[in-house]
Amino acid sequence: MSGFEHLTPLILTVITASTPLLFAAAGELVTERSGVLNLGVEGLMVTGALAAFAGTYVSGSAIIGVLCGALAGVLMALVFAALTLSLLANQVATGLALTIFGLGLTSLLGSGFIGVTVENLPKLYIPGLSEIPVLGPIVFGQDAMVYLSFACVGGIGWVLARTRVGLILRAVGASHDSAHALGYPVIRIRYMATMFGGAMGGIAGSYLSLVYTPMWAENLTAGRGWIALALVVFSTWRPGRLVVGAYLFGAITVIQLHAQGLGVAVPSQFLSMTPYLVTIMVLVVISRDRLKIQLNAPACLGRSFHPAQ
Amino acid sequence: MIRLVPRRQRSRAMVWGAPLLAVALTLITGGLTFAIMGKPMGAALFTFFVQPLTSVYGVSELIVKASPLVLIGIGLSLGFRANVWNIGAEGQYTFGAILGGGIAIFFHDSTSPFLLPAMLIAGAVGGMAWAAIPAFLRTRFNANEILVSLMLTYVAVLLLSYLVHGPWRDPDGYNFPESRLFPEAGTMPVLIEGTRVHMGVFFALIAVGVALLLGKGLTGFKLKLVGLAPEAARFAGFSETRIIWFALLAGGGLAGLAGVIEVAGPIGQLIPTISPGYGFTAIIVAFLGRLHPVGVLLAGLVMALTYLGGETAQIEIGVPAAVTGLFQGFLLFYLLACDVLIRYRVHILIGKAAR
């Protein structure tokens, strides 16, 4: 039993590391399913992280903080949507711009929050259940955001697969011309999907600055937005597989951090490289099968739509 | 209500008008940003955008900062034309600096005139090698080059950090994470006494010239065709694989060269941070310069000014240097928005007409 008790804190940190990836990737999945490729997830996350931190600091409530984070993500996504959907700008370039802008904006506005601490998100506690050894703290002792992340993935999966809204969204992503011909407002639907992705990216950032670190530092996302993008490819655009991917990466991140702490003979920099190298390996393994990607990727991914054309 | 009406032809005037409009809008937004920060708008703008250009030292620093941006921007613009999105130039720059700098550290007693050329070649080869990874994985395994090249940036920066903290740390450096200073024979000759302007400027200009010639030749045509009409390119028998390799190797080679030039020039040794984000800013340079060599040259100077202006404004009026990143973001946003004018006419409908 004692071996398992050592394992519990490890699993708890894996959950903390995986949750932001799951939020961000789930949001991006919805955006991409509508045919919009928003490469600015890193920008969404870093803006959300600062907004949530500042919101919590000012209001004293982490819930208001998370709402601020989500709102910041929506506003950033709205800029992206206005440029790519209304002004038909290149989605790749605009996504990069969103990241560059987000990193610049937050390092300017965030300088006053370095070294400040805020209240953490409260953890669930059910007398009895949360005290069960090993399973108790893992299943019944998380903060609300962890449960929300699973609820979101489940909800997204259900909406995409089983509802009319999901069907329309997938139709817009698969063929915007057909969807337009059927009378669906392609641009409006894409705006909504992009803003949903923005909210989720903002929430993901909130979790980083409020729970994972928990503090504000410049560039605190450290490439997690890009890893979330890779996770969407890894999942072949299916929500269920996102959970596997996000927890795989969460585990790798935590294990390499623990290895650094234990003083493994490998230099820390090489251990820090592992999440990035694993991302590349995973991309290669998934993308190798061209047919699988072609069958699953939204056919209009990254393409602009102008009804007059 | 705004409606976009497609033009029959791309507007040539707008191709070059859009970046000018974007710069103007950035200036206005920049002024408002300063005003929000409680700084006098006009004076702050002057300090940021004009004052650096009023001294010989300022102009020389502008050239020093523009050189790597132009070198990398030229390489990236070749790839972007073909829709090959190498956004890991920062990593290729870093790996070029590691390989080229490694030679200077290994031969730190050398006085040979061949040391610097060997370093420059190693730098370019290093950048190409780093870019060859996404090229191989894209052409062989269909892996997205955007994500692979970006992930490799983190890897290269961590590798540099390991080297300067570990095996390449200066034995006489009081444990600072820095390599030895490069020997005299391994540093870029300074062109103008009293400034930091070095030979690297020539490499940037040569790159512009070569890219101009390339643009007029068959390779330039192939790049453009693959980007604009991939089906037609395939029909014409142009190999997409080759184009991807060419685009990434050219981009990586120039980024690697820029990296080694920077460490052999203004920096003079390997340190953990060798770039203020040149590899990412060069993406903006490529777009602002319309993916055209001369445009990239001009855009490189404009973006170098944002770095210099940020430094000047920090010293003179106490604005955080981070405004540089913000202004660069604004500029790219405005540029992308203004680019709609190239292919579309904007009709603004008011009142009844809107319905």
Side-chain angles (χ1 to χ4, degrees):
Chain A
M1 206 62 215
S2 67
F4 283 114
E5 269 152 25
H6 285 295
L7 211 56
T8 311
L10 189 70
I11 295 175
L12 289 177
T13 35
V14 169
I15 294 173
T16 317
S18 311
T19 302
L21 291 174
L22 193 53
F23 271 117
E28 176 67 14
L29 185 136
V30 172
T31 307
E32 290 194 13
R33 270 298 183 86
S34 81
V36 178
L37 178 64
N38 184 353
L39 286 182
V41 183
E42 184 87 1
L44 299 174
M45 281 176 78
V46 78
T47 328
L50 180 63
F53 195 82
T56 310
Y57 179 73
V58 171
S59 72
S61 153
I63 296 168
I64 294 181
V66 173
L67 290 177
C68 289
L71 183 67
V74 171
L75 290 177
M76 288 285 278
L78 202 56
V79 174
F80 177 87
L83 284 168
T84 57
L85 301 175
S86 296
L87 296 178
L88 308 172
N90 179 310
Q91 294 186 4
V92 174
T94 312
L96 291 173
L98 205 63
T99 297
I100 293 173
F101 179 78
L103 292 173
L105 181 73
T106 53
S107 68
L108 183 65
L109 297 180
S111 51
F113 291 101
I114 292 171
V116 177
T117 50
V118 294
E119 197 194 343
N120 216 317
L121 278 180
K123 300 242 190 248
L124 181 72
Y125 181 79
I126 305 171
L129 285 178
S130 301
E131 288 150 22
I132 302 170
V134 189
L135 274 185
I138 293 172
V139 181
F140 300 108
Q142 302 296 332
D143 54 65
M145 303 271 282
V146 173
Y147 302 111
L148 184 66
S149 70
F150 282 96
C152 279
V153 173
I156 290 168
W158 180 74
V159 169
L160 281 176
R162 302 249 175 256
T163 65
R164 190 178 160 75
V165 173
L167 188 66
I168 295 171
L169 185 86
R170 284 187 288 137
V172 167
S175 169
H176 47 216
D177 292 322
S178 312
H180 177 68
L182 288 171
Y184 292 117
V186 172
I187 299 293
R188 200 185 306 159
I189 290 165
R190 286 188 171 169
Y191 257 94
M192 308 274 248
T194 308
M195 280 157 68
F196 179 78
M200 294 287 274
I203 292 173
S206 313
Y207 200 77
L208 279 178
S209 65
L210 294 182
V211 183
Y212 184 72
T213 39
M215 55 166 199
W216 169 253
E218 244 178 72
N219 278 347
L220 107 163
T221 40
R224 285 190 185 80
W226 297 100
I227 291 180
L229 279 162
L231 284 176
V232 178
V233 180
F234 170 83
S235 75
T236 54
W237 293 270
R238 287 182 209 166
R241 293 187 187 175
L242 278 184
V243 180
V244 180
Y247 275 77
L248 177 74
F249 274 89
I252 291 166
T253 312
V254 169
I255 288 167
Q256 63 92 5
L257 278 176
H258 271 258
Q260 287 187 27
L262 291 172
V264 176
V266 181
S268 66
Q269 288 92 347
F270 287 98
L271 292 169
S272 304
M273 284 176 197
T274 42
Y276 307 113
L277 291 174
V278 171
T279 308
I280 296 176
M281 280 191 278
V282 162
L283 270 177
V284 167
V285 170
I286 296 292
S287 313
R288 212 179 35 175
D289 191 350
R290 266 169 209 265
L291 198 64
K292 198 183 198 174
I293 295 287
Q294 271 171 13
L295 281 177
N296 289 294
C300 286
L301 189 60
R303 281 170 46 193
S304 295
F305 174 70
H306 188 254
Q309 276 171 340
Chain B
M1 181 75 194
I2 291 173
R3 213 174 65 195
L4 300 178
V5 183
R7 293 178 193 271
R8 286 229 183 101
Q9 275 184 324
R10 286 160 57 88
S11 158
R12 287 192 71 88
M14 272 307 156
V15 169
W16 296 99
L20 294 178
L21 192 58
V23 169
L25 288 168
T26 306
L27 284 177
I28 295 169
T29 318
L32 290 173
T33 311
F34 284 132
I36 292 168
M37 288 186 208
K39 310 282 173 194
M41 199 194 287
L45 279 178
F46 181 84
T47 316
F48 196 100
F49 291 102
V50 183
Q51 194 176 329
L53 302 175
T54 54
S55 68
V56 176
Y57 173 78
V59 174
S60 73
E61 281 298 294
L62 186 76
I63 294 169
V64 169
K65 288 188 164 57
S67 301
L69 288 174
V70 172
L71 261 179
I72 307 170
I74 290 283
L76 293 183
S77 64
L78 291 173
F80 290 171
R81 277 185 196 198
N83 273 336
V84 179
W85 300 101
N86 172 15
I87 62 164
E90 185 86 358
Q92 293 139 24
Y93 169 100
T94 305
F95 197 68
I98 290 174
L99 226 56
I103 291 187
I105 292 163
F106 196 72
F107 296 105
H108 60 90
D109 291 330
S110 169
T111 52
S112 162
F114 295 109
L115 180 62
L116 188 60
M119 288 165 63
L120 294 176
I121 292 169
V125 169
M128 284 162 104
W130 212 241
I133 301 171
F136 175 72
L137 297 181
R138 163 79 196 269
T139 52
R140 180 77 178 73
F141 297 113
N142 193 33
N144 183 314
E145 78 278 12
I146 298 175
L147 293 170
V148 173
S149 64
L150 191 95
M151 289 294 141
L152 285 172
T153 297
Y154 291 99
V155 176
V157 170
L158 284 165
L159 184 64
L160 175 65
S161 161
Y162 161 70
L163 289 171
V164 294
H165 279 93
W168 288 2
R169 188 168 54 191
D170 183 356
D172 310 318
Y174 306 103
N175 262 340
F176 279 111
E178 295 173 352
S179 79
R180 298 170 181 278
L181 287 173
F182 294 172
E184 183 74 35
T187 40
M188 300 295 284
V190 168
L191 289 181
I192 305 165
E193 206 58 44
T195 70
R196 300 200 299 166
V197 178
H198 54 79
M199 279 236 313
V201 180
F202 288 130
F203 287 93
L205 292 176
I206 291 168
V208 171
V210 171
L212 268 178
L213 288 177
L214 216 58
K216 298 208 192 305
L218 185 60
T219 313
F221 176 68
K222 282 186 185 175
L223 285 171
K224 224 173 171 175
L225 191 64
V226 168
L228 289 175
E231 308 272 311
R234 219 166 295 141
F235 188 69
F238 298 161
S239 156
E240 199 192 357
T241 305
R242 271 195 174 168
I243 290 288
I244 292 169
W245 272 101
F246 175 81
L248 276 158
L249 289 185
L254 287 176
L257 187 62
V260 69
I261 288 174
E262 193 69 10
V263 291
I267 301 177
Q269 65 186 136
L270 286 181
I271 51 176
T273 308
I274 55 170
S275 157
Y278 285 143
F280 296 111
T281 306
I283 297 169
I284 310 180
V285 168
F287 283 117
L288 189 65
R290 318 278 72 186
L291 309 182
H292 184 282
V294 177
V296 168
L297 179 64
L298 297 174
L301 289 166
V302 171
M303 295 311 284
L305 182 60
T306 63
Y307 278 118
L308 206 55
E311 289 172 12
T312 316
Q314 188 175 27
I315 298 164
E316 299 273 327
I317 49 173
V319 175
V323 286
T324 299
L326 186 69
F327 286 5
Q328 291 181 350
F330 274 131
L331 183 56
L332 188 49
F333 274 146
Y334 284 132
L335 181 71
L336 292 164
C338 294
D339 272 353
V340 73
L341 300 171
I342 297 173
R343 285 186 298 142
Y344 298 90
R345 250 182 262 279
V346 177
H347 283 202
I348 299 170
L349 309 172
I350 308 162
K352 265 188 194 154
R355 268 168 267 140

